[in-house]
Amino acid sequence: MEVPGTWRWMLGVAAVPAIIQFLLMLLLPESPRWLYMKKSKSEAIVVLSKIYDPFRLEEELDQLSSALEEEKQRKIAISYLDVFRIKEIRLAFFAGAGLQAFQQFTGINTVMYYSPTIVQMAGFRSNQIALLLSLIVALMNAAGTIVGIRLIDHSGRRKLALSSLFGVILSLILLSAAFFLESSGSVNVGWIAVLGLTLYIAFFAPGMGPVPWTVNSEIYPESYRGICGGMSATVNWISNLIVAQSFLSVADAVGTDWTFLILAGIAGAAFVFVFVFVPETKGLTFDEVDQIWKERAWGSNHGSESLLEKGAES
């Protein structure tokens, strides 16, 4: 059944979650760190008391007090060039921006944007079937994200990203093999391609979906958190634009099988990147994460106990 003005309904319905998010954000408290630094210490304590037990609350307040004293003494304007000039900030931004870039270059938004096209490439010519199967892919993405919310604090950010990327690599190789067999005409492998898409989402959504955003909210010093977070988000969207604009052209030039194999290679590079450059931040305070970058930049003399080892054991 065709509905007149379907595209208008499609765009209009997208406003519903935006309205819900707007209303819920009215109930969202300010960052306790910002409240403590800029406005009201009592309001900051109220927010923190909803998150931490009394022992951890006292520890957080001590750290905020120390940070406030440091900020009063410093009062230096932050510039974009400082992100690249100061070694520990540069290392943190490299890890955060790299995660954001690899989130896109491993092909997630390609799969989400072009899943109906990919399904049709796999041999399902009906538009209705292609849209139905792509809807299943989208539901898998939503379900996987919910699982990720549970796992990210249980398993840790780094471990979750590495296991996610390992599954993504295998899924992309399966997709590549399915399209290779399909192009050779030896067997109908449409369902294998759909299985590969589903597994890809099942592995990606809990790990590489939320981890880059979570890590980027944790790895920067307070004075650089806004500027570095904004710059890394820009890297994410530029990478998204590059992948979205190039996917169909690359698939047309080298074939869909080779395109997914290239994405698998990029996912392999992402695995190595996370293993080498991204520390575990689970259970660490902001000050402890700052110390990690100082240790990586200048050696372990910046901390009596190696926080790199502490993060790895979390």
Side-chain angles (χ1 to χ4, degrees), residues 96 99-100 103-104 152 157 204 207-220 229-230 232-237:
L99 270 175
Q100 295 283 32
Q103 184 191 61
Q104 296 301 324
I152 199 164
R157 291 86 164 110
F204 185 97
M208 281 301 287
V211 166
W213 298 102
T214 303
V215 169
N216 270 275
S217 71
E218 297 174 336
I219 60 174
Y220 305 119
S232 65
T234 302
V235 170
N236 183 289
W237 286 107

mmCIF file of all heavy atoms in Angstrom, residues 96 99-100 103-104 152 157 204 207-220 229-230 232-237:
data_model
loop_
_atom_site.group_PDB
_atom_site.id
_atom_site.type_symbol
_atom_site.label_atom_id
_atom_site.label_comp_id
_atom_site.label_asym_id
_atom_site.label_seq_id
_atom_site.Cartn_x
_atom_site.Cartn_y
_atom_site.Cartn_z
ATOM 1 N N GLY A 96 41.552 9.612 21.347
ATOM 2 C CA GLY A 96 40.119 9.889 21.243
ATOM 3 C C GLY A 96 39.663 10.095 19.816
ATOM 4 O O GLY A 96 38.656 9.524 19.375
ATOM 5 N N LEU A 99 39.789 6.823 17.798
ATOM 6 C CA LEU A 99 38.619 5.976 18.055
ATOM 7 C C LEU A 99 37.414 6.453 17.247
ATOM 8 O O LEU A 99 36.676 5.645 16.663
ATOM 9 C CB LEU A 99 38.275 5.996 19.546
ATOM 10 C CG LEU A 99 38.926 4.949 20.439
ATOM 11 C CD1 LEU A 99 38.545 5.213 21.900
ATOM 12 C CD2 LEU A 99 38.517 3.545 20.031
ATOM 13 N N GLN A 100 37.201 7.766 17.226
ATOM 14 C CA GLN A 100 36.062 8.312 16.487
ATOM 15 C C GLN A 100 36.197 8.043 14.988
ATOM 16 O O GLN A 100 35.219 7.700 14.317
ATOM 17 C CB GLN A 100 35.945 9.816 16.745
ATOM 18 C CG GLN A 100 35.621 10.198 18.177
ATOM 19 C CD GLN A 100 34.158 9.993 18.538
ATOM 20 O OE1 GLN A 100 33.493 9.092 18.026
ATOM 21 N NE2 GLN A 100 33.641 10.822 19.417
ATOM 22 N N GLN A 103 35.609 4.359 14.288
ATOM 23 C CA GLN A 103 34.198 3.995 14.411
ATOM 24 C C GLN A 103 33.495 4.112 13.066
ATOM 25 O O GLN A 103 32.655 3.275 12.706
ATOM 26 C CB GLN A 103 33.508 4.905 15.436
ATOM 27 C CG GLN A 103 32.046 4.518 15.683
ATOM 28 C CD GLN A 103 31.284 5.565 16.473
ATOM 29 O OE1 GLN A 103 31.146 6.711 16.037
ATOM 30 N NE2 GLN A 103 30.802 5.188 17.647
ATOM 31 N N GLN A 104 33.839 5.145 12.305
ATOM 32 C CA GLN A 104 33.210 5.357 11.011
ATOM 33 C C GLN A 104 33.875 4.551 9.895
ATOM 34 O O GLN A 104 33.201 3.982 9.040
ATOM 35 C CB GLN A 104 33.234 6.846 10.656
ATOM 36 C CG GLN A 104 32.421 7.718 11.594
ATOM 37 C CD GLN A 104 30.958 7.323 11.630
ATOM 38 O OE1 GLN A 104 30.379 6.928 10.615
ATOM 39 N NE2 GLN A 104 30.357 7.396 12.807
ATOM 40 N N ILE A 152 29.692 -2.022 29.299
ATOM 41 C CA ILE A 152 30.788 -1.059 29.256
ATOM 42 C C ILE A 152 31.415 -0.838 30.623
ATOM 43 O O ILE A 152 32.630 -0.608 30.738
ATOM 44 C CB ILE A 152 30.313 0.272 28.624
ATOM 45 C CG1 ILE A 152 31.517 1.082 28.151
ATOM 46 C CG2 ILE A 152 29.445 1.073 29.596
ATOM 47 C CD1 ILE A 152 31.171 2.187 27.200
ATOM 48 N N ARG A 157 36.136 -0.459 28.972
ATOM 49 C CA ARG A 157 36.027 0.151 27.645
ATOM 50 C C ARG A 157 36.962 -0.521 26.637
ATOM 51 O O ARG A 157 36.569 -0.845 25.520
ATOM 52 C CB ARG A 157 36.378 1.642 27.719
ATOM 53 C CG ARG A 157 35.332 2.477 28.472
ATOM 54 C CD ARG A 157 35.623 2.446 29.952
ATOM 55 N NE ARG A 157 34.924 3.475 30.683
ATOM 56 C CZ ARG A 157 33.919 3.263 31.533
ATOM 57 N NH1 ARG A 157 33.465 2.031 31.736
ATOM 58 N NH2 ARG A 157 33.362 4.257 32.176
ATOM 59 N N PHE A 204 29.273 -4.892 16.568
ATOM 60 C CA PHE A 204 29.638 -3.482 16.584
ATOM 61 C C PHE A 204 28.871 -2.700 17.648
ATOM 62 O O PHE A 204 29.466 -1.912 18.394
ATOM 63 C CB PHE A 204 29.388 -2.858 15.208
ATOM 64 C CG PHE A 204 29.839 -1.427 15.104
ATOM 65 C CD1 PHE A 204 31.076 -1.130 14.560
ATOM 66 C CD2 PHE A 204 29.041 -0.378 15.542
ATOM 67 C CE1 PHE A 204 31.514 0.196 14.467
ATOM 68 C CE2 PHE A 204 29.467 0.936 15.466
ATOM 69 C CZ PHE A 204 30.703 1.219 14.925
ATOM 70 N N GLY A 207 29.997 -2.513 21.409
ATOM 71 C CA GLY A 207 31.370 -2.094 21.670
ATOM 72 C C GLY A 207 31.765 -0.805 20.988
ATOM 73 O O GLY A 207 31.799 0.265 21.595
ATOM 74 N N MET A 208 32.063 -0.886 19.685
ATOM 75 C CA MET A 208 32.532 0.286 18.965
ATOM 76 C C MET A 208 31.441 1.335 18.753
ATOM 77 O O MET A 208 31.722 2.436 18.297
ATOM 78 C CB MET A 208 33.138 -0.131 17.628
ATOM 79 C CG MET A 208 34.546 -0.685 17.741
ATOM 80 S SD MET A 208 35.718 0.480 18.482
ATOM 81 C CE MET A 208 35.940 1.662 17.145
ATOM 82 N N GLY A 209 30.195 1.002 19.081
ATOM 83 C CA GLY A 209 29.150 2.019 19.065
ATOM 84 C C GLY A 209 29.315 3.022 20.205
ATOM 85 O O GLY A 209 29.570 4.214 19.977
ATOM 86 N N PRO A 210 29.231 2.561 21.475
ATOM 87 C CA PRO A 210 29.314 3.508 22.592
ATOM 88 C C PRO A 210 30.724 3.822 23.081
ATOM 89 O O PRO A 210 30.940 4.895 23.661
ATOM 90 C CB PRO A 210 28.522 2.791 23.700
ATOM 91 C CG PRO A 210 28.691 1.338 23.410
ATOM 92 C CD PRO A 210 28.747 1.234 21.902
ATOM 93 N N VAL A 211 31.685 2.925 22.884
ATOM 94 C CA VAL A 211 33.007 3.097 23.496
ATOM 95 C C VAL A 211 33.712 4.387 23.070
ATOM 96 O O VAL A 211 34.242 5.108 23.929
ATOM 97 C CB VAL A 211 33.905 1.863 23.236
ATOM 98 C CG1 VAL A 211 35.370 2.170 23.551
ATOM 99 C CG2 VAL A 211 33.433 0.685 24.076
ATOM 100 N N PRO A 212 33.766 4.745 21.760
ATOM 101 C CA PRO A 212 34.457 5.994 21.415
ATOM 102 C C PRO A 212 33.893 7.225 22.119
ATOM 103 O O PRO A 212 34.650 8.106 22.555
ATOM 104 C CB PRO A 212 34.266 6.088 19.897
ATOM 105 C CG PRO A 212 34.138 4.672 19.452
ATOM 106 C CD PRO A 212 33.353 4.005 20.545
ATOM 107 N N TRP A 213 32.573 7.295 22.244
ATOM 108 C CA TRP A 213 31.965 8.453 22.903
ATOM 109 C C TRP A 213 32.244 8.429 24.402
ATOM 110 O O TRP A 213 32.505 9.481 25.011
ATOM 111 C CB TRP A 213 30.463 8.478 22.634
ATOM 112 C CG TRP A 213 30.141 8.618 21.183
ATOM 113 C CD1 TRP A 213 29.744 7.634 20.320
ATOM 114 C CD2 TRP A 213 30.240 9.811 20.396
ATOM 115 N NE1 TRP A 213 29.579 8.137 19.054
ATOM 116 C CE2 TRP A 213 29.871 9.473 19.065
ATOM 117 C CE3 TRP A 213 30.586 11.121 20.674
ATOM 118 C CZ2 TRP A 213 29.846 10.407 18.035
ATOM 119 C CZ3 TRP A 213 30.569 12.063 19.647
ATOM 120 C CH2 TRP A 213 30.198 11.704 18.354
ATOM 121 N N THR A 214 32.182 7.246 25.016
ATOM 122 C CA THR A 214 32.450 7.142 26.445
ATOM 123 C C THR A 214 33.889 7.501 26.765
ATOM 124 O O THR A 214 34.168 8.289 27.680
ATOM 125 C CB THR A 214 32.157 5.709 26.934
ATOM 126 O OG1 THR A 214 30.802 5.367 26.628
ATOM 127 C CG2 THR A 214 32.375 5.589 28.433
ATOM 128 N N VAL A 215 34.818 6.940 26.003
ATOM 129 C CA VAL A 215 36.241 7.201 26.238
ATOM 130 C C VAL A 215 36.554 8.679 26.042
ATOM 131 O O VAL A 215 37.307 9.290 26.827
ATOM 132 C CB VAL A 215 37.107 6.323 25.313
ATOM 133 C CG1 VAL A 215 38.568 6.773 25.348
ATOM 134 C CG2 VAL A 215 37.001 4.859 25.720
ATOM 135 N N ASN A 216 35.965 9.302 25.024
ATOM 136 C CA ASN A 216 36.230 10.724 24.786
ATOM 137 C C ASN A 216 35.694 11.613 25.900
ATOM 138 O O ASN A 216 36.151 12.750 26.046
ATOM 139 C CB ASN A 216 35.648 11.148 23.439
ATOM 140 C CG ASN A 216 36.628 10.993 22.302
ATOM 141 O OD1 ASN A 216 37.450 11.874 22.042
ATOM 142 N ND2 ASN A 216 36.572 9.852 21.620
ATOM 143 N N SER A 217 34.743 11.141 26.658
ATOM 144 C CA SER A 217 34.241 11.931 27.789
ATOM 145 C C SER A 217 35.100 11.754 29.033
ATOM 146 O O SER A 217 34.895 12.460 30.024
ATOM 147 C CB SER A 217 32.794 11.522 28.105
ATOM 148 O OG SER A 217 32.738 10.230 28.687
ATOM 149 N N GLU A 218 36.086 10.841 28.971
ATOM 150 C CA GLU A 218 36.852 10.506 30.177
ATOM 151 C C GLU A 218 38.346 10.806 30.083
ATOM 152 O O GLU A 218 39.018 10.853 31.113
ATOM 153 C CB GLU A 218 36.692 9.007 30.489
ATOM 154 C CG GLU A 218 35.270 8.586 30.810
ATOM 155 C CD GLU A 218 35.116 7.090 30.958
ATOM 156 O OE1 GLU A 218 35.950 6.344 30.391
ATOM 157 O OE2 GLU A 218 34.165 6.662 31.643
ATOM 158 N N ILE A 219 38.902 10.987 28.901
ATOM 159 C CA ILE A 219 40.359 10.957 28.768
ATOM 160 C C ILE A 219 41.021 12.332 28.748
ATOM 161 O O ILE A 219 42.251 12.410 28.763
ATOM 162 C CB ILE A 219 40.780 10.191 27.486
ATOM 163 C CG1 ILE A 219 40.201 10.864 26.237
ATOM 164 C CG2 ILE A 219 40.378 8.740 27.576
ATOM 165 C CD1 ILE A 219 40.705 10.246 24.935
ATOM 166 N N TYR A 220 40.240 13.419 28.756
ATOM 167 C CA TYR A 220 40.850 14.739 28.643
ATOM 168 C C TYR A 220 40.845 15.465 29.988
ATOM 169 O O TYR A 220 39.891 15.335 30.762
ATOM 170 C CB TYR A 220 40.101 15.598 27.616
ATOM 171 C CG TYR A 220 39.981 14.952 26.260
ATOM 172 C CD1 TYR A 220 38.739 14.663 25.708
ATOM 173 C CD2 TYR A 220 41.113 14.615 25.526
ATOM 174 C CE1 TYR A 220 38.623 14.067 24.466
ATOM 175 C CE2 TYR A 220 41.013 14.019 24.287
ATOM 176 C CZ TYR A 220 39.768 13.743 23.760
ATOM 177 O OH TYR A 220 39.651 13.139 22.532
ATOM 178 N N GLY A 229 36.807 17.290 23.069
ATOM 179 C CA GLY A 229 35.595 16.536 22.754
ATOM 180 C C GLY A 229 34.944 17.027 21.482
ATOM 181 O O GLY A 229 34.500 16.238 20.643
ATOM 182 N N GLY A 230 34.904 18.364 21.305
ATOM 183 C CA GLY A 230 34.335 18.922 20.083
ATOM 184 C C GLY A 230 35.149 18.589 18.842
ATOM 185 O O GLY A 230 34.598 18.254 17.788
ATOM 186 N N SER A 232 37.168 15.961 18.434
ATOM 187 C CA SER A 232 37.057 14.529 18.120
ATOM 188 C C SER A 232 35.698 14.204 17.511
ATOM 189 O O SER A 232 35.599 13.348 16.623
ATOM 190 C CB SER A 232 37.303 13.679 19.372
ATOM 191 O OG SER A 232 36.295 13.890 20.338
ATOM 192 N N ALA A 233 34.635 14.895 17.962
ATOM 193 C CA ALA A 233 33.321 14.701 17.347
ATOM 194 C C ALA A 233 33.336 15.169 15.889
ATOM 195 O O ALA A 233 32.713 14.547 15.018
ATOM 196 C CB ALA A 233 32.245 15.455 18.130
ATOM 197 N N THR A 234 34.065 16.251 15.608
ATOM 198 C CA THR A 234 34.213 16.725 14.233
ATOM 199 C C THR A 234 34.913 15.678 13.376
ATOM 200 O O THR A 234 34.532 15.436 12.218
ATOM 201 C CB THR A 234 35.002 18.046 14.206
ATOM 202 O OG1 THR A 234 34.322 19.023 15.003
ATOM 203 C CG2 THR A 234 35.146 18.561 12.783
ATOM 204 N N VAL A 235 35.950 15.044 13.934
ATOM 205 C CA VAL A 235 36.634 13.960 13.228
ATOM 206 C C VAL A 235 35.651 12.841 12.891
ATOM 207 O O VAL A 235 35.670 12.277 11.785
ATOM 208 C CB VAL A 235 37.806 13.411 14.078
ATOM 209 C CG1 VAL A 235 38.371 12.128 13.473
ATOM 210 C CG2 VAL A 235 38.907 14.456 14.197
ATOM 211 N N ASN A 236 34.767 12.525 13.831
ATOM 212 C CA ASN A 236 33.778 11.470 13.606
ATOM 213 C C ASN A 236 32.887 11.793 12.418
ATOM 214 O O ASN A 236 32.686 10.961 11.524
ATOM 215 C CB ASN A 236 32.936 11.287 14.874
ATOM 216 C CG ASN A 236 31.928 10.158 14.767
ATOM 217 O OD1 ASN A 236 30.939 10.248 14.042
ATOM 218 N ND2 ASN A 236 32.162 9.093 15.504
ATOM 219 N N TRP A 237 32.367 13.018 12.367
ATOM 220 C CA TRP A 237 31.420 13.367 11.308
ATOM 221 C C TRP A 237 32.101 13.558 9.961
ATOM 222 O O TRP A 237 31.524 13.251 8.915
ATOM 223 C CB TRP A 237 30.625 14.614 11.710
ATOM 224 C CG TRP A 237 29.605 14.295 12.751
ATOM 225 C CD1 TRP A 237 29.632 14.623 14.072
ATOM 226 C CD2 TRP A 237 28.408 13.529 12.564
ATOM 227 N NE1 TRP A 237 28.533 14.127 14.717
ATOM 228 C CE2 TRP A 237 27.761 13.452 13.817
ATOM 229 C CE3 TRP A 237 27.824 12.901 11.468
ATOM 230 C CZ2 TRP A 237 26.559 12.767 13.991
ATOM 231 C CZ3 TRP A 237 26.623 12.227 11.644
ATOM 232 C CH2 TRP A 237 25.999 12.166 12.891
#
